[in-house]
Amino acid sequence: MSCSIVGLSRYAYYYQPKLPDDSVIMSVLSAITDKHLRWGFPKCFNRIRKLGSHQ
């Protein structure tokens, strides 16, 4: 009843998003940052993209 008062669907209220599993990306990023301490985000991002395209 309270959902209808504020104009919100019950389905929208109980919706649980299905998030992708990022554990592989997190472990690769951790390995890259451990090896290359001075690299910033853009360089790490480009390295991960290159590694992904070769597999």
Side-chain angles (χ1 to χ4, degrees):
M1 183 180 215
S2 60
C3 286
S4 64
I5 291 172
V6 295
L8 182 66
S9 168
R10 287 187 313 170
Y11 299 108
Y13 180 75
Y14 288 109
Y15 175 74
Q16 294 291 325
K18 296 170 184 74
L19 301 175
D21 183 24
D22 292 335
S23 61
V24 174
I25 295 173
M26 290 171 53
S27 65
V28 170
L29 182 60
S30 179
I32 289 173
T33 55
D34 286 345
K35 187 174 180 182
H36 304 284
L37 299 175
R38 304 189 91 192
W39 283 11
F41 175 78
K43 192 158 187 160
C44 291
F45 178 77
N46 289 333
R47 177 58 62 101
I48 291 173
R49 286 188 75 183
K50 286 180 183 177
L51 290 173
S53 67
H54 291 286
Q55 293 179 359

